[in-house]
Amino acid sequence: MPMRRCCAALLGLCAVGSAHAADEGLVAVNGTPGVWWMAPAASVLALVMAYVFYAKMMKADPGNARMQEIAGYVREGAMAYLKQQYSRVAMVFAILVVVFSGLVVMGVQNPFVPVAFLTGGFFSGLCGYLGMRTATAASSRTAQGASESLNRGLQVAFRSGAVMGLVVVGFGLLDIAVWYWILDQLVYTTEHMKNGFGNLFGDVWLVHPNMNFADKLPEITTTMLTFGMGVSTQALFARVGGGIYTKAADVGADLVGKVESGIPEDDPRNPATIADNVGDNVGDVAGMGADLYESFCVSTISTAALGACLPAGIAYSGVNAVIAPMVVMAIGIVLSIIGIFAVRCNNDKATMMTLLRALRLGTWGSSGLVVVAMAVLAAVGFITWGICGAVLAGLIAGVIIGYSTEYYTSDEYGPTKGVAGQAKMGAATVIIDGLAVGMMSTLVPVLTVVLTILIAFGVTGGFHDMMSGLYGVAFSAVGMLATLGITLATDAYGPIADNAGGNAEMSGLPPHVRERTDSLDMLGNTTAATGKGFSIASAALTAMALLAAEVQEVDVWIRKLAAKGAVVFDTAAYTAATDKLSFFIHYLDLNILNPFLLGGLFIGAMMAFVFCAMSMKAVGRAAGAMVEEVRRQFKMMPGIMDGIEKPDYARCVAISTKGAQREMLLPAMLAISVPVATGLVLGVSGIMGLLAGALTAGFSLACMLNNAGGAWDNAKKHIEKGNLGGKRLPDGSKNPIHSAAVIGDTVGDPCKDTSGPSLNILIKLMSMVSIVFTPVTLKFAPVIQQWLGLIR
Amino acid sequence: MPMRRCCAALLGLCAVGSAHAADEGLVAVNGTPGVWWMAPAASVLALVMAYVFYAKMMKADPGNARMQEIAGYVREGAMAYLKQQYSRVAMVFAILVVVFSGLVVMGVQNPFVPVAFLTGGFFSGLCGYLGMRTATAASSRTAQGASESLNRGLQVAFRSGAVMGLVVVGFGLLDIAVWYWILDQLVYTTEHMKNGFGNLFGDVWLVHPNMNFADKLPEITTTMLTFGMGVSTQALFARVGGGIYTKAADVGADLVGKVESGIPEDDPRNPATIADNVGDNVGDVAGMGADLYESFCVSTISTAALGACLPAGIAYSGVNAVIAPMVVMAIGIVLSIIGIFAVRCNNDKATMMTLLRALRLGTWGSSGLVVVAMAVLAAVGFITWGICGAVLAGLIAGVIIGYSTEYYTSDEYGPTKGVAGQAKMGAATVIIDGLAVGMMSTLVPVLTVVLTILIAFGVTGGFHDMMSGLYGVAFSAVGMLATLGITLATDAYGPIADNAGGNAEMSGLPPHVRERTDSLDMLGNTTAATGKGFSIASAALTAMALLAAEVQEVDVWIRKLAAKGAVVFDTAAYTAATDKLSFFIHYLDLNILNPFLLGGLFIGAMMAFVFCAMSMKAVGRAAGAMVEEVRRQFKMMPGIMDGIEKPDYARCVAISTKGAQREMLLPAMLAISVPVATGLVLGVSGIMGLLAGALTAGFSLACMLNNAGGAWDNAKKHIEKGNLGGKRLPDGSKNPIHSAAVIGDTVGDPCKDTSGPSLNILIKLMSMVSIVFTPVTLKFAPVIQQWLGLIR
């Protein structure tokens, strides 16, 4: 029934959309066509559905008292972590508000930014909070569901994951839609653009008087783009902090619990076990969510910003080009909801294969429907067929990268089996082979991204008009992320199933329950591997769009600064230039032989490595503190091992929480300060090099770390399934082959769950910082370069 | 006495040089100034001195019969390897001759190339042969010397290393000088340029009739640049094949010999021990030599090529700019020889510190003298003060990178001590920490290279005239490599000392001899670490020069092809352009937002990872074959372990040899075919992206792999020195801390000795291939792109 309702809603929306497109969308230039209302409507729909799923899950049986107690510990830990993280984030936001306000006073920052970047950060944080609340409440209910049937367990876990997916896309698009409406309808009105609006002080206005009408859309979209800074800062803390937390707890729990004391995973006697379970939520739910929230918002806004700058003379430009990404995201949300409903098996005796097929029907079904919807939009002329092609390219790229990730990291294929086989020769060869597999796994994703860029650029007419092509590339990221609602649901589902397993173990449920949650968890591992490839690929395409958006930001700001006499700029030459993009490429000297750009390229590539080094070291230190604490508890409270004394879970949670937040400060500061410093010393061309270097080297490095980690993890699991002698030899002693594989798995942990994923953040955050600090770069870089003797 | 003779020779040469510079050098434009004769003179001097050192070494006592026998095995193995490698190289060269001849017939290749690229390859191969002959003859003599005194051992080993250093710079510069003389004096004569010369067939001439006189120097230098292809191909086989060989033998010998059978390193009962000793020569003498031979030649010629294209109007251009890099290299050779003589301690009771001081006096002394010589050249006006500054920047960069390498990889500093400390927690944390150290170690080298590029660009006036700045950057590579004669001597000395230790062990010399050779070896490790940083840094600066030279190659070829009507080119616009470099940057669309260039950047970064993956996998497979062979011999010939049966050393050598040559074929083909394919599909802009991506990502990745490997190696040695419990616990059992560190060391072996160093080759070879195939790209890329629908 809900599915039918949904379809009706979609058809209704489409009808509204196409009617409007036919009526005014194609002719209107300044007015926003009615089809735009799909965006707020779909985002509200997503939030409503998220609430429905949440309410349904909460009504499910939370299990017995012990199960609820365990779930309570995890929830408390997770909330304690969030509280700590948000108070830290609040401090950083407060500092940034002061910095941005200062820049506003100096006339080198958009006056909206100091306040408005808070909304992005706030909604991203809210998503994290809601997702975590849902996930922590769902674990015991999933365990309880699994004790009834596999399908029941899947339903609770997957629908709870869907809550995360839907709040992310819901709040993301709502934030964008509301801001667009405010700027379009209330701020940049015809009257305000003529007479000015919001004169804050001196010459600082919200809307400067006598504004050129042609600049309305570029002004709105570049203003909105800088709001992304809030989303990015929130993502940095969630992803990097979460990554450090989860691995510090995991490594700490494993090293003392499993290795030293020989108690099984998720044993309630291990003081770090609750922290470990909290970590799954902190890293894989909140961290992944904030990461993709950033990609979702930033790709939508940056595509709109590029659309706003499409030259008026060409086939497709104007307000349609600006609202198109929002409309496509809206359609994607509706189709994701339909897909979520499709994930079900009526049979309560479903097998793993049935479940996987059910999940795939949901994700692929929504993707297929997106393609159909795009074709409809192209047929009615709201978008071009080229854009339809770019979206298709993005969707297909996501699937290919997901499959190649699976090939390299699943133990059903050669690479991971090969890593497991190397364990016969010892740990060293496991590591060497895993590194080689990781490095090799960069091939397909990189070629896919390159092909996607070329296809998206070409089909949207980039070889005639470069700006259109870059718009097309940005749109391919929108295509990849359109069905984020359901793909994120399949990602967030994994840690919920994982936690359910922990809950079952700690509450002492019968073994068949644990077996079922393990099946769900393994299914989650497959989707998570795909999700990881998907998140780095979408980050790459988003960063590519931001690279082009940086030039637009320069376009808007350099003229403002020149008008005030703050920078030297040949406005006449600019006005005379027909192709503004080519003008800036030449003016900013964005060629590969420019030593500033090449220097930036070197530094960008290096930053990827240094950032990874820092996050790896951070895990090591935080895990060390955890190891000491667990050892201390075992020593001070000897009753723990006999099960007569309760370990102090909260202390371990507190140590991981504090460690994660402390350790992430230095890498965070580096990621924010390096683009600013590069801009000030090497100018805009240096920044463009920096971003391109971090993007290209970071993408390969992230693939390597993610996939090497995945291969090591699954090579170990492959042996634990009984291959190569299994976990223990017939005489009961440890199988040295398994021990060698465990070393590989431990090495892979920070690679795949901390350093690799945090590169997504680095790539996007450095772009965002560069964009927000563009006016600062434009104004001060020439002065600094002159002082350093770099220019005359 | 020889030192005094040398100084006299130098002063004489300088006098000739400066006299000529004053007389005609500064006024002549077409005639080559007499100071040029320093180049052939210095190269002959280097070869003579190499012979002198060789003859002296051969006169030293070769030790007792057993020592000579062992040395004989190693020599035979090394020669067998070289024979196999050279026959493989010969095949590849034969194929390339056919390919290039075909391209000549099609009018898309310089008619000199099919024959002339052979000379570069031949001389590079000859250096490898001579260096190996010397090194293998020197090992027993060094062992014998060490049995007399530490200083005596050092003298033999270091002077033998100097033979390698001097033949490399001698043949390198001689090849360049002879070709320059032939092209300048015999081929591109006034008459030939007017009437044409060497009409091979149809419209294919060696010198086309009615050639523009202004094009003489660009024609000569770009022709010479393509000869570098031979040097690069030879380097590829020597470095990658050598890297696979040495680690396959090392890992194979260690895994079965040390770990399984528990016999010490270099034990004559281990069948793989001779192959292991051969490997040191193959990898560290021949491989390193060919790598640096390539950097030396290519940086000299590419600087000359950029010098030839300096616009005539500016302060410094013309023939002086072309011959300046050759003259500076010549001065560097003479000063290196002086430095080599300075490495001595008269006291026969010298300590390690005295020895290190002696080595440093030699290397730093020559560097210091180069600076003085540059200042003299600048003062007399042969070069500008800017070029002097660029050379200084290159020299200082080499020192800084060397020191930072030492900081990260020596156990006297925090990072390596930290890695050793992690061994307390087990092998996994050793690996994680080592990876983090390697990643972190990219910071200083990258910043140093970026600063060097900016300084060299700036001081040579790049911010006024870009071409001059690029010439300055190229010259900084020349500065870094000017004292290659002595730096390579300190590199090649290491494996000789290492082999001497093996010889002492296998011949059963008294322990104090082994202690002395170990001291020499450790000194060699310090210089080798510095040398590794130096070789990747010089490769980076050389590749940077090649990036600019690629544009020059396009300049020369596109006009030729346009004249024949083979490509569409707006010759009028070219002629009208005052700044040809800017013209081509615009014409080829070399901006960072061009999707072809950005796609190339992605692929280039990825290639660095995939190439490393391949070489790592290759080591694994080759080592596996070795392990099986050693196990087979132990099983089939049980007398080996009791010392009554002689193991079949030759078979192990043959396995390593065959394995190395077979395994390197795929990566080699990839490195050659990817730039060609990228050029054909993505055009010149794609190639520029490819080269920049491989350069920037490859540089960081190489630093990471080299330094992580170095840190793991020395962390193990740190424990073996007795720290953290040493090798064995008081009860005689294995110390698990040491065992964990051994795993790290084994992982590091292929990283630091195969994959990391082979990235130097990848970076340079891909540039060289791109340059040689420029006309092919120019002619066919438009056709293919049209066919693929990438352009209209």
Side-chain angles (χ1 to χ4, degrees):
Chain A
M1 190 201 65
M3 194 165 162
R4 241 173 299 139
R5 242 189 287 155
C6 252
C7 284
L10 172 77
L11 287 173
L13 280 170
C14 282
V16 173
S18 54
H20 273 281
D23 288 354
E24 30 172 358
L26 295 175
V27 282
V29 175
N30 274 315
T32 300
V35 66
W36 173 83
W37 285 97
M38 284 185 74
S43 54
V44 170
L45 178 67
L47 295 174
V48 169
M49 292 312 300
Y51 180 75
V52 170
F53 289 143
Y54 176 75
K56 263 198 167 172
M57 181 273 291
M58 289 305 280
K59 267 190 236 149
D61 183 354
N64 62 34
R66 175 71 179 148
M67 288 161 79
Q68 293 189 43
E69 184 196 343
I70 300 286
Y73 290 139
V74 175
R75 186 167 52 247
E76 270 168 39
M79 290 305 144
Y81 171 77
L82 277 190
K83 201 177 150 194
Q84 167 87 13
Q85 175 173 305
Y86 289 164
S87 66
R88 188 65 72 108
V89 169
M91 262 169 52
V92 172
F93 271 71
I95 295 170
L96 285 177
V97 166
V98 173
V99 170
F100 289 143
S101 304
L103 295 176
V104 169
V105 175
M106 291 164 73
V108 286
Q109 190 53 274
N110 190 314
F112 283 105
V113 169
V115 178
F117 91 111
L118 293 174
T119 65
F122 175 76
F123 283 124
S124 171
L126 188 60
C127 290
Y129 173 78
L130 295 176
M132 292 272 271
R133 265 203 89 83
T134 312
T136 50
S139 64
S140 70
R141 290 172 171 85
T142 303
Q144 178 62 28
S147 73
E148 296 163 28
S149 79
L150 196 56
N151 182 37
R152 188 83 200 103
L154 173 74
Q155 285 296 325
V156 178
F158 181 72
R159 293 282 163 90
S160 309
V163 173
M164 184 70 189
L166 291 175
V167 293
V168 161
V169 294
F171 281 121
L173 193 56
L174 189 65
D175 188 28
I176 293 171
V178 169
W179 269 109
Y180 178 76
W181 188 81
I182 291 175
L183 292 172
D184 181 48
Q185 299 290 322
L186 305 183
V187 179
Y188 288 94
T189 62
T190 311
E191 198 207 312
H192 290 165
M193 287 195 282
K194 211 166 156 188
N195 308 325
F197 169 65
N199 184 5
L200 302 178
F201 50 83
D203 197 35
V204 175
W205 300 68
L206 288 181
V207 181
H208 219 269
N210 299 317
M211 204 184 111
N212 190 338
F213 279 77
D215 286 338
K216 175 178 173 175
L217 288 174
E219 275 282 345
I220 290 179
T221 51
T222 49
T223 299
M224 285 173 67
L225 196 53
T226 54
F227 301 171
M229 182 71 195
V231 183
S232 292
T233 311
Q234 187 70 261
L236 172 77
F237 277 80
R239 185 57 127 167
V240 183
I244 297 172
Y245 184 108
T246 180
K247 286 304 120 178
D250 189 9
V251 172
D254 283 3
L255 278 182
V256 188
K258 282 208 290 198
V259 181
E260 286 183 15
S261 312
I263 52 178
E265 179 133 11
D266 290 326
D267 192 292
R269 288 171 295 175
N270 190 336
T273 193
I274 293 290
D276 189 8
N277 274 271
V278 172
D280 292 337
N281 290 297
V282 163
D284 294 346
V285 178
M288 173 78 100
D291 184 354
L292 286 166
Y293 187 94
E294 183 189 14
S295 287
F296 182 85
C297 289
V298 172
S299 71
T300 310
I301 315 178
S302 59
T303 309
L306 295 179
C309 299
L310 287 173
I314 60 165
Y316 189 73
S317 62
V319 70
N320 272 0
V322 173
I323 65 162
M326 303 182 211
V327 171
V328 171
M329 287 304 197
I331 293 174
I333 287 179
V334 176
L335 299 174
S336 291
I337 295 173
I338 295 178
I340 289 168
F341 278 107
V343 179
R344 54 164 60 198
C345 354
N346 292 322
N347 187 349
D348 262 359
K349 290 192 188 81
T351 63
M352 275 290 293
M353 276 317 287
T354 337
L355 294 184
L356 185 60
R357 230 176 281 141
L359 273 185
R360 289 220 163 126
L361 176 71
T363 46
W364 292 1
S366 355
S367 299
L369 289 176
V370 166
V371 174
V372 173
M374 287 302 102
V376 171
L377 288 185
V380 301
F382 176 66
I383 58 171
T384 65
W385 282 105
I387 294 173
C388 180
V391 169
L392 188 60
L395 278 170
I396 294 177
V399 173
I400 294 177
I401 291 175
Y403 263 103
S404 95
T405 308
E406 208 184 313
Y407 173 76
Y408 279 103
T409 59
S410 155
D411 73 334
E412 293 189 12
Y413 303 98
T416 297
K417 275 187 192 158
V419 173
Q422 292 289 338
K424 284 184 281 182
M425 294 218 271
T429 45
V430 168
I431 304 291
I432 293 174
D433 205 55
L435 287 175
V437 164
M439 288 179 176
M440 198 46 127
S441 76
T442 59
L443 183 70
V444 174
V446 166
L447 289 183
T448 307
V449 164
V450 170
L451 262 179
T452 307
I453 289 174
L454 287 178
I455 290 173
F457 188 86
V459 293
T460 46
F463 297 114
H464 281 290
D465 174 73
M466 195 169 173
M467 200 62 230
S468 297
L470 293 172
Y471 180 67
V473 174
F475 229 119
S476 67
V478 170
M480 195 180 260
L481 290 162
T483 53
L484 181 64
I486 185 163
T487 41
L488 187 52
T490 60
D491 276 356
Y493 142 89
I496 294 172
D498 194 359
N499 259 251
N503 192 293
E505 183 78 33
M506 284 186 269
S507 338
L509 293 190
H512 76 272
V513 180
R514 175 80 206 206
E515 267 163 40
R516 282 186 191 152
T517 58
D518 275 357
S519 296
L520 290 176
D521 188 17
M522 253 169 69
L523 190 60
N525 279 344
T526 308
T527 57
T530 322
K532 229 165 242 164
F534 172 85
S535 64
I536 177 70
S538 63
L541 289 176
T542 305
M544 169 79 199
L546 287 175
L547 207 57
E550 164 77 15
V551 178
Q552 302 312 326
E553 197 75 25
V554 170
D555 185 339
V556 167
W557 271 101
I558 203 163
R559 288 182 289 140
K560 280 191 198 170
L561 292 172
K564 290 189 205 160
V567 297
V568 183
F569 181 61
D570 188 348
T571 313
Y574 170 83
T575 314
T578 49
D579 183 348
K580 307 297 185 201
L581 184 63
S582 296
F583 171 83
F584 275 108
I585 286 171
H586 185 79
Y587 180 79
L588 298 170
D589 208 4
L590 301 184
N591 80 76
I592 194 90
L593 288 175
N594 176 353
F596 290 140
L597 191 143
L598 202 77
L601 211 56
F602 265 108
I603 296 174
M606 176 267 280
M607 271 300 289
F609 286 86
V610 169
F611 195 70
C612 277
M614 285 183 159
S615 51
M616 261 188 202
K617 281 265 186 193
V619 170
R621 277 190 299 260
M626 181 65 92
V627 164
E628 273 175 36
E629 171 60 22
V630 176
R631 282 187 187 149
R632 192 194 63 80
Q633 290 199 20
F634 276 146
K635 204 174 152 190
M636 307 294 280
M637 300 186 267
I640 292 180
M641 279 306 272
D642 307 326
I644 49 170
E645 207 167 351
K646 218 184 78 177
D648 188 351
Y649 299 133
R651 225 184 132 97
C652 288
V653 169
I655 281 178
S656 249
T657 302
K658 258 175 77 181
Q661 295 301 321
R662 188 183 55 235
E663 290 294 345
M664 69 158 304
L665 216 64
L666 193 64
M669 272 166 50
L670 197 75
I672 294 178
S673 60
V674 166
V676 177
T678 305
L680 290 177
V681 177
L682 302 181
V684 176
S685 57
I687 283 186
M688 294 293 278
L690 178 81
L691 302 183
L695 169 59
T696 51
F699 183 75
S700 281
L701 186 58
C703 287
M704 170 191 159
L705 294 172
N706 288 339
N707 296 341
W712 280 320
D713 186 359
N714 286 327
K716 184 198 71 172
K717 289 194 175 132
H718 181 72
I719 295 173
E720 287 175 355
K721 282 181 194 166
N723 298 296
L724 298 163
K727 228 168 152 172
R728 294 199 174 268
L729 295 177
D731 63 3
S733 66
K734 279 186 189 172
N735 180 358
I737 298 178
H738 178 251
S739 304
V742 167
I743 291 178
D745 181 39
T746 312
V747 172
D749 269 344
C751 293
K752 75 178 198 305
D753 292 322
T754 312
S755 299
S758 65
L759 282 172
N760 304 357
I761 302 295
L762 179 78
I763 292 171
K764 289 180 289 182
L765 179 68
M766 293 217 304
S767 308
M768 211 63 241
V769 171
S770 303
I771 283 178
V772 173
F773 281 88
T774 299
V776 176
T777 302
L778 288 173
K779 185 165 178 188
F780 297 109
V783 184
I784 291 173
Q785 290 183 340
Q786 195 129 30
W787 184 72
L788 289 171
L790 290 175
I791 54 168
R792 281 165 212 247
Chain B
M1 189 200 65
M3 193 165 161
R4 243 173 300 140
R5 242 189 287 154
C6 251
C7 284
L10 172 79
L11 287 174
L13 279 169
C14 281
V16 173
S18 54
H20 272 280
D23 287 356
E24 31 173 357
L26 295 175
V27 283
V29 175
N30 275 314
T32 299
V35 65
W36 173 82
W37 285 98
M38 282 185 76
S43 54
V44 170
L45 177 67
L47 295 174
V48 169
M49 290 313 299
Y51 179 75
V52 170
F53 289 142
Y54 177 74
K56 262 198 165 171
M57 182 273 293
M58 289 305 280
K59 266 192 236 148
D61 183 353
N64 63 34
R66 176 70 179 149
M67 288 161 79
Q68 293 189 44
E69 186 197 341
I70 300 285
Y73 290 139
V74 175
R75 187 166 52 246
E76 271 167 39
M79 290 304 143
Y81 171 78
L82 277 189
K83 203 177 149 194
Q84 166 87 15
Q85 175 174 306
Y86 288 164
S87 66
R88 189 62 73 107
V89 170
M91 263 169 51
V92 172
F93 271 73
I95 295 171
L96 285 177
V97 167
V98 173
V99 170
F100 288 143
S101 304
L103 295 176
V104 169
V105 174
M106 292 164 74
V108 285
Q109 190 53 275
N110 190 314
F112 282 104
V113 168
V115 179
F117 92 111
L118 293 174
T119 63
F122 175 77
F123 283 124
S124 170
L126 188 61
C127 290
Y129 173 79
L130 295 175
M132 293 271 271
R133 264 203 88 85
T134 311
T136 51
S139 64
S140 70
R141 290 172 170 85
T142 302
Q144 179 61 30
S147 73
E148 294 163 29
S149 79
L150 196 58
N151 183 36
R152 186 89 198 101
L154 172 75
Q155 285 295 325
V156 179
F158 181 72
R159 292 282 163 90
S160 309
V163 174
M164 185 69 189
L166 290 175
V167 293
V168 162
V169 295
F171 281 121
L173 193 56
L174 190 65
D175 189 27
I176 293 170
V178 169
W179 270 110
Y180 180 76
W181 187 81
I182 291 174
L183 292 172
D184 181 48
Q185 297 291 323
L186 305 182
V187 179
Y188 289 93
T189 62
T190 311
E191 199 205 314
H192 290 165
M193 286 195 283
K194 211 166 158 190
N195 308 323
F197 169 65
N199 184 3
L200 302 178
F201 50 83
D203 196 36
V204 175
W205 299 70
L206 288 181
V207 181
H208 221 271
N210 299 317
M211 204 185 111
N212 190 338
F213 279 78
D215 285 338
K216 175 178 172 173
L217 287 174
E219 276 282 345
I220 291 179
T221 51
T222 50
T223 301
M224 286 174 67
L225 196 52
T226 56
F227 301 170
M229 181 72 194
V231 183
S232 293
T233 312
Q234 188 71 259
L236 173 76
F237 277 81
R239 185 56 127 165
V240 183
I244 297 172
Y245 185 106
T246 181
K247 285 305 121 178
D250 189 9
V251 173
D254 283 2
L255 277 181
V256 189
K258 282 209 289 198
V259 180
E260 287 183 14
S261 311
I263 53 178
E265 179 133 11
D266 291 325
D267 191 293
R269 288 171 294 175
N270 190 337
T273 192
I274 293 291
D276 189 8
N277 274 271
V278 172
D280 292 338
N281 290 297
V282 162
D284 295 345
V285 177
M288 173 79 100
D291 184 353
L292 286 166
Y293 186 93
E294 184 190 14
S295 288
F296 182 85
C297 288
V298 172
S299 70
T300 310
I301 315 177
S302 59
T303 308
L306 295 179
C309 298
L310 286 173
I314 61 165
Y316 188 73
S317 63
V319 71
N320 271 1
V322 173
I323 64 163
M326 304 183 210
V327 172
V328 170
M329 286 304 197
I331 292 173
I333 287 179
V334 176
L335 299 174
S336 292
I337 295 173
I338 294 178
I340 290 168
F341 278 107
V343 179
R344 53 164 62 194
C345 353
N346 291 322
N347 187 349
D348 261 0
K349 290 193 189 79
T351 62
M352 275 290 293
M353 276 318 286
T354 335
L355 294 183
L356 185 61
R357 229 176 283 141
L359 273 185
R360 291 222 162 126
L361 175 70
T363 45
W364 292 0
S366 353
S367 298
L369 289 176
V370 165
V371 175
V372 174
M374 287 302 102
V376 172
L377 289 184
V380 301
F382 175 66
I383 57 171
T384 63
W385 282 106
I387 294 173
C388 181
V391 168
L392 187 60
L395 277 170
I396 294 176
V399 173
I400 293 177
I401 291 174
Y403 263 102
S404 95
T405 309
E406 210 185 311
Y407 172 74
Y408 279 104
T409 60
S410 156
D411 73 334
E412 291 188 14
Y413 302 98
T416 298
K417 274 188 193 159
V419 173
Q422 292 289 337
K424 284 184 279 182
M425 294 218 270
T429 43
V430 169
I431 304 290
I432 293 175
D433 204 55
L435 287 175
V437 165
M439 288 179 175
M440 198 48 126
S441 76
T442 59
L443 183 71
V444 174
V446 166
L447 290 183
T448 306
V449 164
V450 170
L451 262 179
T452 307
I453 290 174
L454 288 179
I455 289 173
F457 188 87
V459 293
T460 48
F463 297 113
H464 280 290
D465 175 72
M466 195 169 173
M467 199 63 229
S468 298
L470 293 173
Y471 179 69
V473 174
F475 229 118
S476 67
V478 170
M480 196 181 261
L481 290 160
T483 52
L484 181 64
I486 185 162
T487 41
L488 187 52
T490 59
D491 276 355
Y493 142 89
I496 294 173
D498 193 0
N499 258 251
N503 192 292
E505 183 79 32
M506 284 186 270
S507 333
L509 293 189
H512 76 272
V513 181
R514 174 81 205 204
E515 268 164 38
R516 281 186 191 153
T517 58
D518 277 356
S519 295
L520 290 176
D521 188 16
M522 252 169 69
L523 190 59
N525 279 344
T526 308
T527 58
T530 321
K532 227 164 245 166
F534 172 84
S535 64
I536 178 68
S538 64
L541 289 177
T542 305
M544 170 79 200
L546 287 175
L547 206 59
E550 165 77 15
V551 178
Q552 302 310 326
E553 198 75 26
V554 170
D555 185 340
V556 167
W557 271 101
I558 204 162
R559 288 180 291 139
K560 281 190 197 168
L561 292 172
K564 290 187 203 161
V567 296
V568 183
F569 182 62
D570 189 349
T571 313
Y574 171 83
T575 314
T578 47
D579 182 348
K580 307 296 186 203
L581 184 64
S582 295
F583 172 83
F584 276 108
I585 286 172
H586 185 77
Y587 180 79
L588 298 169
D589 208 5
L590 300 184
N591 79 76
I592 195 89
L593 288 175
N594 176 353
F596 290 140
L597 191 143
L598 202 76
L601 211 56
F602 266 107
I603 297 174
M606 177 265 282
M607 272 300 289
F609 286 86
V610 168
F611 196 71
C612 277
M614 286 184 157
S615 51
M616 261 189 202
K617 281 264 185 195
V619 170
R621 278 189 300 260
M626 182 65 93
V627 164
E628 274 176 35
E629 172 60 22
V630 176
R631 282 186 187 151
R632 192 195 63 82
Q633 288 199 22
F634 277 145
K635 203 174 153 190
M636 306 294 279
M637 299 186 269
I640 292 180
M641 277 307 272
D642 307 326
I644 50 171
E645 208 168 348
K646 217 183 82 178
D648 188 351
Y649 299 133
R651 227 183 130 99
C652 288
V653 169
I655 281 178
S656 250
T657 302
K658 259 175 75 181
Q661 295 301 320
R662 188 182 56 236
E663 291 294 345
M664 69 159 303
L665 217 64
L666 193 64
M669 273 166 49
L670 196 77
I672 293 177
S673 60
V674 166
V676 178
T678 305
L680 290 177
V681 177
L682 301 181
V684 176
S685 57
I687 282 187
M688 295 293 280
L690 178 81
L691 302 183
L695 169 60
T696 50
F699 182 75
S700 281
L701 186 58
C703 287
M704 170 191 159
L705 293 172
N706 288 339
N707 295 342
W712 281 319
D713 186 357
N714 286 329
K716 184 198 70 171
K717 289 195 175 130
H718 181 71
I719 295 172
E720 285 175 356
K721 281 182 194 165
N723 298 297
L724 298 163
K727 228 169 153 172
R728 293 198 175 268
L729 295 178
D731 63 3
S733 66
K734 279 186 189 172
N735 180 359
I737 297 178
H738 178 251
S739 305
V742 167
I743 291 178
D745 181 40
T746 312
V747 172
D749 268 343
C751 294
K752 75 179 199 302
D753 292 323
T754 313
S755 299
S758 66
L759 282 173
N760 304 356
I761 302 296
L762 179 79
I763 292 170
K764 288 180 289 182
L765 179 69
M766 293 217 305
S767 308
M768 211 63 241
V769 171
S770 303
I771 283 177
V772 173
F773 281 87
T774 299
V776 176
T777 302
L778 289 173
K779 185 166 177 188
F780 297 109
V783 184
I784 292 173
Q785 291 184 337
Q786 194 129 34
W787 184 74
L788 288 171
L790 289 177
I791 54 167
R792 282 165 210 244

